[in-house]
Amino acid sequence: MSGWQALPDELPSEVRHFVEQLRQLKDRTGLSLVALGARTAYSKSSWHRYLNATQPPPRQAVAALCRIAGLDTTDAERFGVRWELAVEAWPRSAAEPARAAGGEKGAKGERGYEDDPTLPWWDEPPKERASGMNRLLLAAALLLVLVLLLGLAGAVASG
């Protein structure tokens, strides 16, 4: 690959394949790391870590790169699957708590890695957006039932 650091030999094959694919996708955009950082919620140094396999990228960073590269939904979903496989196999540092390696949820994400706090509101995960939308739909349905009951009560009272 053009101008990229060699990846460590001890990387699991899933991680190596994912990072190589991520590098190709980044190259396809024609953007520098600075420009990529400006177009996403992730800094130049974050992208450097992700593309050199020193830190796994958050799912939202991968989704942002897929959008910028113009991938269709199917290809972006394939990248999501590659991301899941890579994060599962990603080497854990010795300093990382044992519970993170076990995949426990807590202050960290589902795979033991912290979610990126720089995630903009428009890249909010779909399930969080969906729960807010579900609450809004429930409130609208309850309001509709209330209006219908008041209309029925008014009709009965009018005779």
Side-chain angles (χ1 to χ4, degrees):
M1 283 179 228
S2 61
W4 289 107
Q5 271 181 315
L7 293 172
D9 291 334
E10 62 274 3
L11 275 181
S13 61
E14 297 89 350
V15 175
R16 177 176 296 283
H17 178 70
F18 172 73
V19 172
E20 287 171 351
Q21 295 292 312
L22 201 63
R23 286 175 169 188
Q24 288 176 3
L25 192 60
K26 184 262 175 212
D27 287 344
R28 179 175 153 180
T29 68
L31 298 173
S32 67
L33 292 180
V34 172
L36 185 59
R39 302 249 334 247
T40 66
Y42 304 92
S43 68
K44 170 192 169 195
S45 58
S46 292
W47 281 110
H48 184 268
R49 289 189 302 272
Y50 307 153
L51 294 166
N52 286 302
T54 57
Q55 178 183 347
R59 178 186 287 274
Q60 296 87 356
V62 175
L65 181 57
C66 288
R67 277 192 306 274
I68 290 168
L71 291 186
D72 62 27
T73 305
T74 305
D75 288 337
E77 287 173 0
R78 286 186 187 126
F79 246 94
V81 171
R82 285 187 202 116
W83 174 84
E84 288 177 11
L85 293 171
V87 170
E88 193 68 34
W90 211 283
R92 303 310 200 255
S93 70
E96 193 172 345
R99 71 177 185 89
E104 278 185 35
K105 288 188 178 185
K108 297 190 175 205
E110 63 185 18
R111 300 270 193 262
Y113 293 103
E114 289 186 29
D115 291 336
D116 195 322
T118 62
L119 181 65
W121 62 268
W122 59 84
D123 274 348
E124 184 179 304
K127 66 182 176 189
E128 292 176 18
R129 259 183 284 155
S131 68
M133 186 60 107
N134 289 342
R135 279 186 247 131
L136 183 61
L137 289 173
L138 178 61
L142 289 173
L143 186 58
L144 179 63
V145 168
L146 179 63
V147 168
L148 291 174
L149 286 175
L150 286 174
L152 181 63
V156 168
S158 301

